[in-house]
């Protein structure tokens, strides 16, 4: 079709132009909504049935009980169980004419779930990929959470396309909590989750071993039935934090089935105390100290949306080979205002093992945009809380940063992974 033919009458531009404008508007709306949320935490698991939603709901309730403003977003198409867990089944989100209003569980906890949008519980199972993504995008851009301290996102299980798409739609996530059980604890499952996080540039906040040992319903003593404790070994091996073990407790099932948040109604139990241990490092994000895994950006800067982005440069353009760059273009940006505040060029130090992560970390860099980078280097940056976007084009660095701030940077394959 010629360009003229493709034009919509009335000088409104081509179909492609209008589509692009709509996408840009959606991206802006998404960035605006997400910019009002201080901490975004994903809850992931390698497979279903390990208690991911139970952990997500109880984390959200615990954070709200501590006086925080919390949102809980249930994106699990396979069984959106959050409405059941919080006795919100049959509720419908409201609207203020411009945006969707989440369901209020309590003053401090707002909830949005795919389950609120379905007529029947299993309806979403027949949805195809693009439809699911359309719904998630809509939930993220159109739900008006207002100002939140935390948004807890209950993910679809696994590390497939669905989880990947959700992760890519949520900019600036603080990190992921990975839920597993002792019996499902195959090395590959947790490894897959950790590698998934690296792939999407999300720090791993820690691993939770759920259904770890049993609380006797009679004497309330802990009994280790399966080989418990594998989660800690696994986390140590993979170099990620271990957040704790939550025992199997029949009262969790009872509370969940009757829609009573366990940590609130059974606060004195061993399992509730174990939840408190898991939530501790997440609470620490919002006050006092940053957790060990968090980025180098100071809280004050983070609150204002300030970030430092580094791009490896060769001959004035992004270098496709991270390890061969001549210098780094380093930009101070305000992601909320989508503005470049300052920029400098710094000659690259020698490419010795482990030096670049330390050097860039000391400069306060918390985002790297690269063409290609080896897996080990990615791991080293992730350990410092520096997120890495790979597959960026060999383009002018300023143009890359502007696209990045507008969530319009197109990433291809890793251009060099040795
Ligand atoms: P997922 O989201 O991983 O599919 P759910 O959170 O829906 O898993 O939990 C699956 C089932 O296991 C639910 O019936 C839930 O009540 C139960 N459950 C979760 N954690 C525990 C626990 N620590 N002790 C006993 N039952 C649990």
């Amino acid at each position: 079709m010629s360009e003229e033919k493709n034009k919509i009458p009335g000088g409104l531009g081509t179909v492609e132009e209008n589509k692009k404008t709509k996408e840009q508007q959606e991206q802006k709306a998404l960035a605006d909504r997400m910019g009002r949320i201080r901490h975004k935490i994903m809850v992931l698991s390698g497979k279903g049935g390990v208690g991911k939603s139970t952990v997500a709901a109880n984390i959200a309730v615990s954070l709200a009980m501590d006086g925080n403003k919390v949102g809980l977003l249930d994106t699990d198409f396979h069984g959106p169980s959050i409405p059941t867990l919080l006795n919100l089944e049959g509720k419908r989100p409201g609207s203020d004419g411009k945006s969707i209003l989440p369901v209020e569980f309590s003053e401090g906890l707002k909830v949005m779930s795919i389950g609120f949008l379905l007529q029947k519980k299993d309806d979403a199972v027949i949805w195809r990929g693009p439809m699911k993504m359309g719904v998630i995008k809509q939930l993220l851009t159109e739900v008006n959470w207002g100002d939140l301290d935390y948004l807890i996102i209950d993910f679809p299980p696994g590390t497939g396309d669905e989880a990947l798409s959700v992760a890519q739609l949520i900019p600036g996530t603080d990190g992921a909590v990975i839920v597993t059980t002792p019996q499902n604890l195959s090395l590959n499952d947790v490894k897959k989750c950790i590698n998934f996080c690296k792939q999407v540039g999300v720090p791993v906040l820690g691993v939770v071993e759920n259904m770890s040992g049993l609380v006797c319903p009679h004497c309330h003593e802990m009994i280790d039935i399966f080989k418990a404790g594998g989660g800690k070994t696994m986390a140590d091996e993979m170099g990620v934090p271990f957040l704790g073990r939550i025992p199997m407790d029949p009262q969790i099932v009872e509370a969940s089935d009757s829609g009573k948040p366990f940590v609130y109604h059974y606060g004195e139990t061993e399992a509730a105390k174990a939840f408190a241990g898991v939530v501790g490092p997440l609470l620490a994000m919002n006050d006092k100290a940053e957790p060990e895994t968090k980025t180098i950006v100071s809280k004050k800067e983070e609150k204002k949306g300030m970030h430092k982005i580094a791009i490896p440069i060769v001959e004035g353009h992004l270098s496709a080979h991270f390890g061969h760059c001549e210098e780094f273009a380093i930009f101070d940006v305000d992601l909320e205002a989508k503005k470049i505040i300052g920029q400098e060029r710094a000659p690259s130090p020698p490419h010795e093992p482990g030096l670049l992560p330390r050097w860039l970390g000391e400069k306060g860099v918390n985002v790297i945009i690269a063409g290609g980078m080896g897996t080990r280097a990615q791991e080293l940056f992730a350990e410092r809380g520096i997120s890495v976007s790979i597959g960026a084009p060999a383009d002018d660095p300023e143009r890359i940063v502007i696209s990045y701030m507008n969530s319009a940077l197109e990433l291809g394959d890793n251009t060099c992974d040795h």
Side-chain angles (χ1 to χ4, degrees), residues 48-54 81 210-211 246-249 252-253 256:
V50 300
K52 173 180 54 59
S53 298
T54 307
S81 47
N210 187 31
M211 307 199 211
I246 296 168
M248 202 180 271
D249 184 340
I252 292 188
V253 184
S256 304

Side-chain angles (χ1 to χ4, degrees), residues 2 51 150 166 169 178 198 288 297:
S2 79
Y150 295 90
V166 178
L169 282 174
I178 300 174
K198 283 183 186 151
K288 303 156 246 157
V297 181

Side-chain angles (χ1 to χ4, degrees), residues 24 40 50 54 66-67 71 93 95 99 128 153 163 213 216 220 231 237 247 252 266 271-272 281 340 380 398 403-404:
Q24 279 167 351
K40 294 170 273 275
V50 300
T54 307
D66 202 68
S95 166
S99 49
R128 287 156 52 116
I153 306 144
C216 170
H220 301 286
E237 272 171 23
I252 292 188
Y266 297 86
I340 296 175
L380 290 171
E398 195 169 324
S403 303
Y404 177 86

